[in-house]
Amino acid sequence: MTQTAAVLPGIQRVEKLYLELLFRCNFSCTTCYHGEDLKRPDTVTVDQATAALTYFTAAYDCRWVCLLGGEPLLFEGLATVLTAAKSLGYRTEICTNGYKRRAFLTRAAEHLDMLRVSLDGGTAEAHDRIRRPGSFTAAFDALAWAHGRKLPFGATCTLTGENITTVPALAERLRDLGASDLMLHRVRLTGNATTSGITAVTWEQTQYLHEQLTGMDLGRMTVNTDILLPERCPPPSDVVEKLEIAPDGRVYLSCAEVAGPGREVRYDFDRAALVTVDAA
């Protein structure tokens, strides 16, 4: 690998850094893009995570980080990384399944600006089928906990052919609880989704969901409904909306790339920098 002065040509700023702290998780969801990677022991150290945050704020003016995994609440140094992020001026967020890690979450919350919980549908039946029995209730318990602490919270949902019709009910429940946003993603048939029988959504299904959501009164809650339309294509820009780094250094510049081979760019945790990958 060689480091260059322009590993991301034309890119001046990274709006949001998604840093996967580890592959390990307490779930093995049928939609999970990590697949067999969930069994890998790879983990980022606290020092490596802090160095990555320092690099991206200096090199790409990044001020917003989401820590995830795997399951970030299994990462023992989470509170320390959050503390370091706040000291560097980052807006901090974690994305978690919220399952039975309340004491650990409480310790991390002091330096947390946003709690994001993964939900897979608007009913326990739809969600638990993808995750595990009781996980829907546990996820909303975590959101209610955040609401009680006046900690901003939101949710993310991976759309499948099986759960897409329950999303309006999910949006309503999140709105009523006081969620800031709901982030939607189309399932990619990679990782666990290649063998679990999950069905990808069609553009006809997402178009209909777009009509439903844009016709609802969602109050102050925002939903990224633009991804439900096939014509959604961000114009060229010198700003990357999202850059995600896996624990093994793979780099993705959009949700559509996650869990694929990544770019011909890697994040080298030892050098604390993005590097290009030699053709050789």
Side-chain angles (χ1 to χ4, degrees):
M1 294 184 179
T2 58
Q3 185 171 355
T4 70
V7 290
L8 295 177
I11 300 302
Q12 300 297 315
R13 185 167 67 87
V14 172
E15 181 176 341
K16 188 173 184 180
L17 174 66
Y18 285 71
L19 181 57
E20 298 176 10
L21 296 171
L22 72 175
F23 283 122
R24 187 165 60 95
C25 188
N26 47 4
F27 285 10
S28 184
C29 303
T30 57
T31 57
C32 185
Y33 56 81
H34 284 306
E36 289 297 309
D37 281 344
L38 292 170
K39 302 174 184 177
R40 294 175 56 177
D42 307 51
T43 183
V44 176
T45 69
V46 169
D47 287 344
Q48 287 174 330
T50 302
L53 293 168
T54 302
Y55 170 76
F56 277 96
T57 192
Y60 291 100
D61 194 30
C62 187
R63 294 292 188 276
W64 186 5
V65 64
C66 179
L67 301 175
L68 65 165
E71 173 48 55
L73 294 183
L74 298 179
F75 184 79
E76 291 300 323
L78 179 62
T80 305
V81 175
L82 287 169
T83 301
K86 293 302 293 182
S87 70
L88 290 166
Y90 276 88
R91 173 186 173 187
T92 57
E93 179 179 321
I94 63 171
C95 186
T96 172
N97 57 41
Y99 190 75
K100 296 185 177 181
R101 297 285 289 176
R102 181 64 53 79
F104 195 82
L105 178 58
T106 300
R107 293 198 298 273
E110 182 179 355
H111 297 288
L112 188 61
D113 293 317
M114 176 79 167
L115 175 68
R116 183 169 302 283
V117 173
S118 297
L119 284 157
D120 286 312
T123 66
E125 180 183 10
H127 175 92
D128 290 359
R129 186 186 302 120
I130 289 173
R131 295 180 177 255
R132 66 166 56 173
S135 59
F136 185 77
T137 297
F140 269 98
D141 282 348
L143 294 176
W145 169 86
H147 177 72
R149 291 179 63 99
K150 295 182 169 46
L151 173 65
F153 62 91
T156 183
C157 179
T158 298
L159 302 175
T160 72
E162 291 76 20
N163 73 8
I164 191 169
T165 59
T166 71
V167 172
L170 175 62
E172 288 181 339
R173 183 166 178 177
L174 289 168
R175 174 204 63 197
D176 293 345
L177 190 57
S180 298
D181 64 52
L182 169 61
M183 292 182 60
L184 303 174
H185 305 288
R186 296 165 58 93
V187 69
R188 294 183 65 235
L189 297 183
T190 187
N192 285 350
T194 61
T195 57
S196 62
I198 287 290
T199 304
V201 291
T202 66
W203 286 118
E204 289 77 12
Q205 287 175 311
T206 58
Q207 173 74 48
Y208 181 57
L209 179 58
H210 182 275
E211 293 171 2
Q212 290 178 293
L213 292 174
T214 55
M216 292 170 57
D217 177 10
L218 296 176
R220 296 182 179 180
M221 187 178 77
T222 61
V223 183
N224 60 330
T225 54
D226 56 336
I227 68 102
L228 300 174
L229 302 175
E231 59 267 26
R232 195 261 186 178
C233 184
S237 170
D238 62 356
V239 176
V240 173
E241 293 180 1
K242 167 185 177 173
L243 186 146
E244 183 161 345
I245 302 172
D248 59 6
R250 280 174 288 175
V251 171
Y252 312 105
L253 300 186
S254 75
C255 291
E257 295 181 1
V258 169
R263 295 289 177 113
E264 292 185 355
V265 174
R266 293 290 186 271
Y267 181 79
D268 189 318
F269 283 101
D270 293 327
R271 301 186 194 184
L274 288 172
V275 296
T276 56
V277 181
D278 291 331

